[in-house]
Amino acid sequence: MTTSTDFLAAIINAFEANKRLADRAVEQVPDEKLHVALDEHTNSIAVIMKHVAGNLTSRWTDFLTTDGEKPWRNRDDEFVDTFRSRAELLAYWERGWAVLLTTLKSLNAEDLAQSVTIRGEPHTVPLALARSLGHTCYHIGQLVQLARHHAGDKWSTLTIPKGGSEKFNKANWGQTGKSHS
């Protein structure tokens, strides 16, 4: 492998790991709680998922050839909960992730040397990758925290349980992939 292909593989791995965290968190939330914001100044899980999916769809559709902010994207609408069911929300979420992952898996080492634009601003492809990963992870953290709150006592930890590091390390030390979500 080359540094470029290692980098692309690491980016894909990081996005997939964060999606798994989000999916496992959302599974633990009752349907009605998906639409509940903590207060008037925060977003619900459904709104966060809608925004992330909308952002991914816009940024990663025709990634190398068009601006990442598509004229058809209605960002403001992403902050309005319009979903009538969990299935509808999850279908929208999955579509955004499918656009991202299909595009990422189509990139090659030569693509990393290109430039793309986001809202008219030029970005190297590695910068655009890092920007998208950072933005997505920021919102995944919000989503997981809300899911933890809404699941209450029924929450099952997504990573190493609090106070469980020593036990985890003894059981898994040196085993590839055991510490990554």
Side-chain angles (χ1 to χ4, degrees):
M1 288 199 133
T2 67
T3 301
S4 297
T5 55
D6 287 347
F7 175 73
L8 286 170
I11 290 288
I12 292 167
N13 179 274
F15 271 112
E16 289 176 336
N18 275 276
K19 182 180 185 302
R20 282 191 302 274
L21 281 174
D23 291 344
R24 290 172 47 222
V26 169
E27 286 172 0
Q28 299 184 56
V29 178
D31 289 358
E32 68 278 3
K33 295 286 188 173
L34 293 172
H35 308 279
V36 176
L38 296 181
D39 61 42
E40 64 186 275
H41 304 291
T42 60
N43 295 310
S44 68
I45 290 170
V47 166
I48 294 168
M49 291 174 74
K50 184 178 183 183
H51 171 61
V52 168
N55 178 273
L56 293 176
T57 301
S58 181
R59 294 292 180 265
W60 295 98
T61 297
D62 303 321
F63 172 66
L64 294 172
T65 58
T66 64
D67 192 286
E69 186 67 16
K70 303 299 184 281
W72 43 258
R73 181 182 184 202
N74 183 351
R75 184 182 178 279
D76 292 334
D77 183 62
E78 293 169 9
F79 296 95
V80 178
D81 184 355
T82 56
F83 298 108
R84 294 179 302 277
S85 69
R86 178 184 290 262
E88 185 181 353
L89 170 61
L90 293 177
Y92 190 81
W93 171 253
E94 292 298 333
R95 277 193 302 275
W97 282 94
V99 171
L100 164 75
L101 293 171
T102 298
T103 300
L104 286 179
K105 291 174 182 178
S106 75
L107 296 177
N108 59 51
E110 293 77 36
D111 294 329
L112 293 179
Q114 294 192 45
S115 289
V116 296
T117 56
I118 301 173
R119 293 193 178 116
E121 181 183 345
H123 289 65
T124 64
V125 167
L127 176 59
L129 291 164
R131 178 177 172 172
S132 184
L133 180 61
H135 175 260
T136 302
C137 291
Y138 168 80
H139 288 302
I140 299 279
Q142 292 176 320
L143 188 153
V144 169
Q145 185 69 22
L146 279 171
R148 171 65 188 93
H149 174 80
H150 290 313
D153 292 338
K154 295 181 180 186
W155 179 256
S156 178
T157 190
L158 305 177
T159 58
I160 301 167
K162 194 184 287 186
S165 295
E166 185 176 344
K167 179 181 177 184
F168 178 89
N169 287 343
K170 283 181 181 176
N172 298 290
W173 196 265
Q175 294 183 37
T176 305
K178 291 288 188 174
S179 65
H180 202 185
S181 307

